Amino acid sequence: VERIAIIGTGLIGGSIGLALKGAKLSGLEVVGFDLDRSTAGEAKRRGVVDRNAPSPAEAVRDAKMVIIATPPLAVSSVMQEISENLAEGTVVTDTASTKVEVRRYAQEFLPEHVSFVGGHPMAGKEVPGIKNADAALFQGAAYCVIPSPQASEGAVKSVLGLVSVLGAEPLFIDAEEHDQYAAAISHMPLVVSTALFTLARNSPAWDDIAPLAAGGFTDVTRLASGDPRMAHDICVTNTDAVVHWLDRFIEELQRYRGLIQSDRKGLFRAYSEAQLQRDAFVLGEKPRRKVEADLPSTREQLSGMIFGGLIASRMEKFEKEMGQAGGAKRRSVLDDDD
Amino acid sequence: VERIAIIGTGLIGGSIGLALKGAKLSGLEVVGFDLDRSTAGEAKRRGVVDRNAPSPAEAVRDAKMVIIATPPLAVSSVMQEISENLAEGTVVTDTASTKVEVRRYAQEFLPEHVSFVGGHPMAGKEVPGIKNADAALFQGAAYCVIPSPQASEGAVKSVLGLVSVLGAEPLFIDAEEHDQYAAAISHMPLVVSTALFTLARNSPAWDDIAPLAAGGFTDVTRLASGDPRMAHDICVTNTDAVVHWLDRFIEELQRYRGLIQSDRKGLFRAYSEAQLQRDAFVLGEKPRRKVEADLPSTREQLSGMIFGGLIASRMEKFEKEMGQAGGAKRRSVLDDDD
């Protein structure tokens, strides 16, 4: 019997358990632990785990792999609790959204005879908890893999095997890079989405404003429905990067503010470029990580040419329409632009 | 034959046409016009209109109702082009996202013998154009109705009839209120969503950042894929309100920045409240517009009691978990809080 322990069987740990059990690997036993009793019970009922252990230390006994799927700050106490029970050669991994702090916990608390390989699946739902766990959650998602310097080759392969069972794509990255990039594309957007909701919700005019809410507001504020403990831990364990990107985002908003107030051609151009670029992004033109940073790829050159041509023809049409709009409108609405 | 003219048969005008034709009202003829020839052709092919007219002025001839479904700035030139061809008693309405400017265009350009009733369906898609038109787009959505002071009772009833055919819920509101509230819940979020995309996309590190993008980033930046001309016109015709809400939003981001840097309990509380409030909002607890502003409703009292209790118990659990976390963690991560 090969034993895997999952500490924390909420949305992420629960989904990993479902995928592992769904793969029907022979001789695999999944042992779970969750601080929340009803989560642990649900994990057993849904077949996420074969059995629950009474403590993290008991869960990891004789395990070949330990997956810590708790909020980032809790990874520290879990590592302290399990460290004495880890067998020689155990692979320890985690799923926390921030990696520099977690690496530090591993260095501080894990024994030298285990291999730590950090992980972060770039997938999730705004609705937390095991009730939303889904074996297909990680299908096609990027899965960041951050081996510690001491991790054995076999340990890295084991984590790549886990990534493969989950249907995800491994992405090797170092912890500092991860935390910076994740701050830009995940952590700062979480703050923005939540702040957008709370600004409207806490407005004295909320009762008048809310009836006008449509799908746009609901989507853009979606991340405000996520697990508050997770959001808290992310901000607390990646403070500098989140604050850095928040500051840059405020500058970007100020740039749009300026365009809105005094540069309408620039505003139209900004919206036009954003639309084309986002459509390309959604259609799957995610850039691969560049090997030679200074050489633009054929794809980039091509998309630069296509975008450049599209934007030029749009700007021409826009200026023509604005010019045709007639004297009354021009005087009143477009007076600063003509 | 009762004739309705739709000027602009993109996503909104096209969806209105589909709903009107789908209602199979006897003796109804829908005449369309669109500046874009391929849009006009597609409108005819999809049965959005019975026929296209060669100009807006031709389209409105003998029409009982004229629906202007163009970007906000274009409403002005359309009104100028059609004004001489409008028959006595014609009902003129529009679907523009901003209402104060449009009311001014109507006062300036429409003849006194017609009734103008502004409209704004609070529904849409981020993907523009007639190819995304959908008869069910307005089902259950709020539909703002803003009669001009001169509009006849019959004209208002006609527009309410249109709202009813679309399956939407009429919401009477005045133009100034509309523009303020829509700025908070729709226009400013559009700027925020777009700016969030362009900040990441224009970063020199984009090629490294993008592979980490997951569903959260895609959803929160969704509005960046909308029609750039529409986004431009909204900002240009509602500048003061959009800028006002942008400034308030920047203050809200600064508040979160402060919580992240130096008030972790406050941060957890903010995320917790946001989650509970947004879940309630999504579950349909949209407040109705208050009649007596100072008397909290039973719903509000109840939800205040429930929320208050939930938040208190969450804070207690949070503080307990943070307290249990052990010396090493407390020193390193929570040193400013305990």
Side-chain angles (χ1 to χ4, degrees):
Chain A
V1 175
E2 296 255 62
R3 184 170 295 160
I4 294 184
I6 303 178
I7 312 299
T9 51
L11 174 66
I12 300 297
S15 297
I16 291 175
L18 284 176
L20 281 173
K21 297 306 291 180
K24 301 196 188 304
L25 307 169
S26 65
L28 172 72
E29 185 192 44
V30 178
V31 181
F33 173 81
D34 200 286
L35 261 184
D36 183 74
R37 273 165 182 254
S38 72
T39 295
E42 182 72 7
K44 181 74 178 67
R45 270 192 300 279
R46 286 194 63 184
V48 166
V49 299
D50 294 299
R51 62 180 174 84
N52 282 300
S55 71
E58 288 300 321
V60 305
R61 202 179 286 281
D62 299 322
K64 285 270 192 287
M65 179 184 276
V66 174
I67 303 167
I68 305 175
T70 64
L73 281 180
V75 174
S76 165
S77 43
V78 169
M79 285 183 176
Q80 293 173 66
E81 287 179 56
I82 65 176
S83 75
E84 289 191 5
N85 278 22
L86 292 169
E88 175 102 25
T90 304
V91 180
V92 180
T93 187
D94 75 303
T95 63
S97 308
T98 57
K99 307 280 34 135
V100 173
E101 274 293 308
V102 165
R103 182 183 59 190
R104 210 175 52 72
Y105 305 153
Q107 282 163 350
E108 196 165 348
F109 302 123
L110 293 182
E112 285 182 15
H113 65 258
V114 307
S115 279
F116 178 67
V117 180
H120 182 206
M122 303 311 294
K125 292 184 183 179
E126 83 279 19
V127 281
I130 190 162
K131 65 181 178 297
N132 297 297
D134 176 1
L137 183 62
F138 310 104
Q139 286 286 344
Y143 198 113
C144 296
V145 178
I146 304 104
S148 68
Q150 297 80 25
S152 70
E153 202 180 315
V156 176
K157 281 191 183 157
S158 295
V159 171
L160 292 179
L162 172 68
V163 172
S164 165
V165 166
L166 299 177
E169 302 281 341
L171 197 158
F172 285 94
I173 190 168
D174 73 46
E176 283 78 8
E177 279 188 318
H178 170 279
D179 283 7
Q180 276 296 330
Y181 302 157
I185 203 107
S186 172
H187 307 164
M188 179 273 284
L190 164 66
V191 180
V192 168
S193 181
T194 308
L196 197 53
F197 180 77
T198 57
L199 175 62
R201 182 62 185 80
N202 295 334
S203 160
W206 169 248
D207 282 5
D208 292 316
I209 291 173
L212 272 63
F217 181 75
T218 306
D219 280 1
V220 178
T221 61
R222 183 170 81 79
L223 304 182
S225 284
D227 178 6
R229 171 64 198 275
M230 191 71 78
H232 165 273
D233 282 16
I234 286 171
C235 292
V236 163
T237 57
N238 199 18
T239 302
D240 290 349
V242 172
V243 167
H244 167 80
W245 280 99
L246 263 183
D247 288 342
R248 292 192 56 183
F249 182 58
I250 289 170
E251 285 168 23
E252 184 76 348
L253 290 177
Q254 298 285 12
R255 184 172 79 86
Y256 275 86
R257 188 185 190 281
L259 293 174
I260 291 168
Q261 286 197 312
S262 56
D263 181 5
R264 282 150 188 192
K265 277 183 206 165
L267 182 65
F268 178 75
R269 182 186 293 274
Y271 278 123
S272 290
E273 288 178 352
Q275 186 200 27
L276 292 170
Q277 290 174 331
R278 187 172 181 283
D279 285 354
F281 166 73
V282 170
L283 285 171
E285 285 192 23
K286 281 193 194 178
R288 288 161 190 278
R289 303 194 79 203
K290 272 191 274 189
V291 180
E292 296 171 280
D294 294 334
L295 257 187
S297 67
T298 311
R299 182 188 62 74
E300 281 177 312
Q301 289 175 321
L302 200 68
S303 94
M305 280 162 56
I306 296 170
F307 277 7
L310 273 172
I311 294 288
S313 80
R314 281 194 181 185
M315 291 308 297
E316 199 179 319
K317 179 162 172 277
F318 173 76
E319 287 177 43
K320 198 173 140 207
E321 284 174 19
M322 290 296 127
Q324 281 177 345
K329 198 178 81 190
R330 180 174 298 160
R331 277 198 309 278
S332 58
V333 180
L334 292 174
D335 42 6
D336 65 344
D337 225 47
D338 289 358
Chain B
V1 174
E2 297 256 63
R3 186 169 295 160
I4 294 184
I6 304 178
I7 312 298
T9 51
L11 175 66
I12 300 297
S15 297
I16 292 175
L18 284 177
L20 281 172
K21 298 304 292 180
K24 302 197 187 302
L25 308 168
S26 63
L28 172 72
E29 186 192 42
V30 178
V31 181
F33 173 81
D34 200 285
L35 261 185
D36 182 74
R37 274 164 182 256
S38 71
T39 296
E42 183 71 9
K44 180 75 176 67
R45 269 192 301 281
R46 287 194 63 183
V48 166
V49 299
D50 294 299
R51 62 180 174 86
N52 282 300
S55 70
E58 287 300 321
V60 306
R61 203 178 285 282
D62 299 323
K64 284 270 192 289
M65 180 183 277
V66 174
I67 302 167
I68 305 175
T70 65
L73 281 179
V75 174
S76 166
S77 42
V78 169
M79 285 182 175
Q80 293 173 66
E81 288 179 55
I82 65 176
S83 74
E84 290 191 4
N85 277 21
L86 292 168
E88 175 101 27
T90 304
V91 180
V92 179
T93 187
D94 75 303
T95 63
S97 308
T98 57
K99 307 278 36 135
V100 173
E101 275 294 308
V102 165
R103 182 183 60 191
R104 210 175 52 71
Y105 304 152
Q107 281 163 351
E108 197 165 347
F109 302 124
L110 293 182
E112 285 182 13
H113 64 258
V114 306
S115 278
F116 178 69
V117 181
H120 183 204
M122 303 311 296
K125 293 183 183 178
E126 82 281 18
V127 281
I130 189 163
K131 64 182 180 296
N132 298 299
D134 176 2
L137 183 62
F138 310 105
Q139 288 285 345
Y143 198 114
C144 296
V145 178
I146 306 104
S148 68
Q150 297 81 22
S152 69
E153 202 179 317
V156 176
K157 281 190 182 158
S158 294
V159 172
L160 292 179
L162 172 68
V163 173
S164 164
V165 166
L166 299 177
E169 302 281 341
L171 195 158
F172 284 94
I173 189 168
D174 74 47
E176 283 79 8
E177 278 187 320
H178 171 278
D179 283 7
Q180 276 297 328
Y181 301 157
I185 203 108
S186 171
H187 307 164
M188 179 274 284
L190 164 66
V191 180
V192 167
S193 182
T194 308
L196 197 53
F197 180 77
T198 57
L199 175 62
R201 181 62 185 79
N202 296 334
S203 160
W206 169 247
D207 282 5
D208 293 317
I209 292 173
L212 273 62
F217 182 74
T218 306
D219 281 0
V220 177
T221 61
R222 184 170 80 79
L223 304 182
S225 284
D227 179 6
R229 172 64 198 276
M230 191 70 81
H232 165 273
D233 282 16
I234 286 171
C235 292
V236 163
T237 57
N238 200 18
T239 301
D240 290 349
V242 172
V243 166
H244 166 80
W245 280 98
L246 264 182
D247 288 343
R248 291 191 57 183
F249 182 58
I250 289 170
E251 284 168 22
E252 184 76 348
L253 290 177
Q254 298 285 13
R255 184 172 79 85
Y256 275 86
R257 189 185 190 282
L259 293 174
I260 290 168
Q261 286 198 312
S262 57
D263 180 5
R264 282 149 187 190
K265 276 184 208 165
L267 182 65
F268 178 74
R269 182 186 293 274
Y271 278 123
S272 291
E273 288 178 353
Q275 185 200 27
L276 292 170
Q277 290 174 330
R278 187 171 181 282
D279 285 354
F281 166 72
V282 170
L283 284 171
E285 285 192 24
K286 282 194 194 177
R288 288 162 189 279
R289 304 195 79 204
K290 271 193 275 189
V291 180
E292 297 171 278
D294 295 334
L295 256 188
S297 66
T298 311
R299 183 189 61 75
E300 281 177 313
Q301 289 176 320
L302 202 64
S303 92
M305 281 162 55
I306 296 170
F307 277 6
L310 273 172
I311 294 288
S313 81
R314 281 194 181 185
M315 292 307 296
E316 198 178 317
K317 180 160 170 279
F318 173 77
E319 288 177 43
K320 198 172 142 207
E321 284 173 17
M322 292 295 129
Q324 280 176 345
K329 200 179 78 189
R330 179 177 297 161
R331 275 196 310 276
S332 58
V333 182
L334 291 173
D335 43 6
D336 65 345
D337 225 50
D338 286 356

